[in-house]
C-alpha cells in the first residue's frame, strides 16, 4: 500500500474520530507522524483539509469535498 493511500485512510479516520493523534495511533503512528502525513497530503492536494485545535479536528470545506474522493479511492 502506498504512502498516499495510507495517508488517505488516515485522513478519513481522523475526520471520523475528530483527532489526528487518535487516528494515528490506530495506524501505529505517533501523533507527530500522523500530523506530518496529513500535512503532506494537504500539500499534495493544495488545500487545508482539516481545521485543527488543541482538542479536536474538523473538516474544512475543502476537506468535506475531498473526503468523498478519498473514500472512493480507498474503496477501489
Amino acid at each position: 500500500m502506498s504512502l498516499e493511500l495510507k495517508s488517505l485512510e488516515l485522513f478519513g479516520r481522523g475526520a471520523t474520530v475528530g483527532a489526528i493523534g487518535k487516528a494515528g495511533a490506530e495506524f501505529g503512528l505517533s501523533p507527530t507522524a500522523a500530523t506530518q502525513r496529513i500535512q503532506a497530503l494537504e500539500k499534495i492536494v493544495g488545500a487545508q483539509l482539516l481545521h485543527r485545535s488543541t482538542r479536536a479536528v474538523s473538516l474544512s470545506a475543502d476537506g468535506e469535498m475531498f473526503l468523498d474522493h478519498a473514500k472512493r479511492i480507498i474503496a477501489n
Side-chain angles (χ1 to χ4, degrees):
M1 185 177 299
S2 71
L3 173 65
E4 291 79 13
L5 188 55
K6 286 185 179 184
S7 295
L8 289 176
E9 290 177 337
L10 176 64
F11 162 67
R13 188 65 184 142
T16 300
V17 300
I20 296 171
K22 185 174 181 179
E26 294 178 16
F27 287 83
L29 300 170
S30 70
T32 301
T35 297
Q36 289 172 341
R37 282 207 182 176
I38 296 295
Q39 289 172 337
L41 179 61
E42 289 175 326
K43 187 174 181 179
I44 291 167
V45 172
Q48 182 179 352
L49 301 174
L50 299 170
H51 295 294
R52 297 159 178 83
S53 74
T54 56
R55 298 195 182 263
V57 297
S58 60
L59 286 169
S60 67
D62 290 330
E64 288 181 24
M65 290 188 307
F66 186 72
L67 183 58
D68 290 333
H69 296 293
K71 287 179 178 178
R72 280 192 299 256
I73 293 167
I74 292 166
N76 290 323

